[in-house]
């Protein structure tokens, strides 16, 4: 990333809060990306000849075979990332609905209880003695 992009307040330096904010964002996305089955996609696309040494088969792949494998990896990676993105969207939608429901619990409303003069006169003056 361009270091100037980290300078949120445009003071030509990166202070501690800007650094921590940038590192937290990268860390969060990195943890999410680590949940994706990338190693499986790579291994499937670079399938080796059964019965032989897998790594020996891998190093003997032609460049054309590697190019074909990379195209397969891109298709598989796209599918996996889109599925993970949809799952994340669903989770955020549910979180936002729960947050909205929780905030509605504390909704403030006003009741018309009369004027300040009525308040000072008291309840007894309005409805009488018990």
């Amino acid at each position: 990333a361009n270091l100037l992009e980290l300078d949120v307040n445009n003071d030509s330096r990166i202070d501690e809060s800007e650094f921590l904010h940038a590192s937290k964002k990268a860390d969060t996305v990195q943890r999410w990306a680590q949940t994706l089955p990338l190693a499986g996609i790579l291994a499937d696309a670079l399938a080796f000849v059964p019965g032989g040494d897998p790594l020996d088969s891998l190093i003997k792949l032609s460049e054309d075979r590697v190019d074909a494998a990379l195209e397969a990896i891109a298709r598989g990676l796209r599918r996996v990332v889109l599925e993970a993105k949809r799952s994340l969207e669903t989770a955020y939608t549910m979180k936002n609905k729960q947050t909205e429901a929780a905030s509605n619990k504390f909704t403030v409303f006003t009741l018309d209880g009369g004027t300040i003069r009525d308040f000072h006169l008291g309840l007894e003056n309005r409805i009488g003695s018990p």
Side-chain angles (χ1 to χ4, degrees), residues 5-113:
E5 292 173 6
L6 302 179
D7 183 18
V8 178
N9 61 4
N10 296 320
D11 64 354
S12 299
R13 62 188 191 96
I14 300 169
D15 59 31
E16 182 183 8
S17 65
E18 291 167 331
F19 174 78
L20 291 173
H21 179 71
S23 64
K24 181 180 179 189
K25 282 193 325 191
D27 185 50
T28 302
V29 173
Q30 184 176 0
R31 283 190 313 232
W32 174 79
Q34 288 173 339
T35 67
L36 304 177
L38 303 179
I41 294 170
L42 181 62
D44 289 345
L46 295 171
F48 55 89
V49 179
D53 178 6
L55 294 179
D56 186 50
S57 297
L58 182 62
I59 62 173
K60 291 180 182 175
L61 289 175
S62 68
E63 285 190 22
D64 289 340
R65 177 66 182 106
V66 171
D67 288 342
L70 290 174
E71 289 176 16
I73 290 168
R75 286 189 303 274
L77 183 59
R78 181 180 188 281
R79 180 182 50 78
V80 166
V81 169
L82 288 175
E83 286 175 10
K85 177 185 168 296
R86 283 191 287 274
S87 177
L88 191 60
E89 286 172 342
T90 300
Y92 263 73
T93 299
M94 289 173 51
K95 179 186 131 201
N96 290 339
K97 285 181 181 176
Q98 289 173 347
T99 301
E100 184 180 320
S103 68
N104 287 341
K105 179 179 179 180
F106 300 104
T107 301
V108 177
F109 57 92
T110 59
L111 295 175
D112 185 18

